[in-house]
Amino acid sequence: MNLTAEEIQQNWLHLMGFIEDHISEPRKTALKSFYEKYSERLMLMPAAHKKEYHNAFPGGYVEHVNRVITCALHLHDLWGQMGADLTTYTKEELVFSALNHDLGKMGDETQESYIPQTDNWRREKLGEDYMFNTKVPFASVPDRGLYLLQAHDVKYTFNEMVAIQTHDGLYDEANKKYLMGYLTEQKPRTALPYIVHQADLMAARIEFEREWLPKLNGSVEEPKKKFTLESNKKAPSKAAAQTKALGSLKNAGLKNLLDNL
């Protein structure tokens, strides 16, 4: 799947709109400053390195995060309707956790985690359009994301820390200590980690279906987009969006990439 320059810019405005609408001061300013500082990288990065994974294309990361936030807001309402205690976390904690759940995928302050694949065989045979940047020291995605936030003076709550840490659920063995406690006092004191995990799982599944079910069913047509973001931010025209996006880029390679979308 490919996003147009207009869609990439629109998705970025939606993401920044979630911060504006749901995050309170003083950390709203710190969080916006962080996202604006790395906007060039975040705006165009994929959500994964391999086609078989979700949203492995330029702009895929932001689109995925927006979908996770939207899913989380809907699941918040559903959990409440089913009788869950929604007083154990705030909606700001919900949006903050969903917004930053995969932040560690961006890499560190100077290097990107995902870079274009240089091995044509791996690109053609394995569907790996990107590869991992070995210049970036290893860290798990949640650990790196939490580090980046604290390194840029963006504070987070205990609830947010646990929700970001465990967003992959029991797919990650490291989360058993949080999610498989057998004693009552060891279990999470809030449904937030489960809601964020479900939102991420839902978003990734929808992205898989959009990309792969038509191909598995023999269709070659581009799937229709049914996803509507919950944000009041208006998108600019296509020409204006591309001009704004291109004009803000400092990296010649990224500018060329966006110019050819």
Side-chain angles (χ1 to χ4, degrees), residues 92-101 159-160 163-164 192 196:
E92 177 172 346
E93 288 180 315
L94 176 71
V95 172
F96 184 94
S97 301
L99 171 70
N100 296 297
H101 78 283
N159 278 349
E160 291 163 347
I164 291 172
L192 182 62
V196 173

Side-chain angles (χ1 to χ4, degrees), residues 41 45 104 122 158 169 217 250:
R41 189 193 307 184
M45 64 182 273
R122 297 190 70 87
F158 180 83
N217 293 331
K250 301 179 181 65

Side-chain angles (χ1 to χ4, degrees), residues 104-228:
K105 289 183 176 181
M106 70 169 271
D108 60 23
E109 289 92 336
T110 59
Q111 298 283 342
E112 301 175 43
S113 281
Y114 300 131
I115 56 178
Q117 177 61 260
T118 57
D119 188 326
N120 289 332
W121 186 88
R122 297 190 70 87
R123 183 187 298 109
E124 295 171 4
K125 302 299 183 183
L126 302 180
E128 296 179 0
D129 287 337
Y130 298 87
M131 62 183 183
F132 292 105
N133 186 354
T134 57
K135 293 181 180 179
V136 179
F138 173 77
S140 70
V141 169
D143 287 346
R144 192 185 304 283
L146 291 169
Y147 166 77
L148 287 167
L149 290 171
Q150 62 86 26
H152 290 81
D153 298 320
V154 179
K155 296 183 181 298
Y156 45 83
T157 67
F158 180 83
N159 278 349
E160 291 163 347
M161 179 193 72
V162 174
I164 291 172
Q165 195 76 53
T166 62
H167 76 268
D168 278 329
L170 291 175
Y171 289 99
D172 187 340
E173 291 281 326
N175 295 334
K176 285 185 176 181
K177 60 183 179 291
Y178 286 108
L179 303 178
M180 287 188 66
Y182 295 103
L183 299 177
T184 303
E185 60 270 21
Q186 292 179 331
K187 296 181 182 296
R189 307 295 174 93
T190 172
L192 182 62
Y194 302 102
I195 296 174
V196 173
H197 171 54
Q198 286 185 334
D200 186 33
L201 190 66
M202 180 186 292
R205 174 63 196 185
I206 291 168
E207 289 153 10
F208 168 83
E209 292 186 357
R210 178 185 63 179
E211 179 75 17
W212 288 101
L213 286 190
K215 297 174 184 177
L216 292 173
N217 293 331
S219 173
V220 295
E221 294 182 5
E222 182 76 9
K224 295 182 180 179
K225 297 173 184 176
K226 301 179 181 179
F227 172 50
T228 301

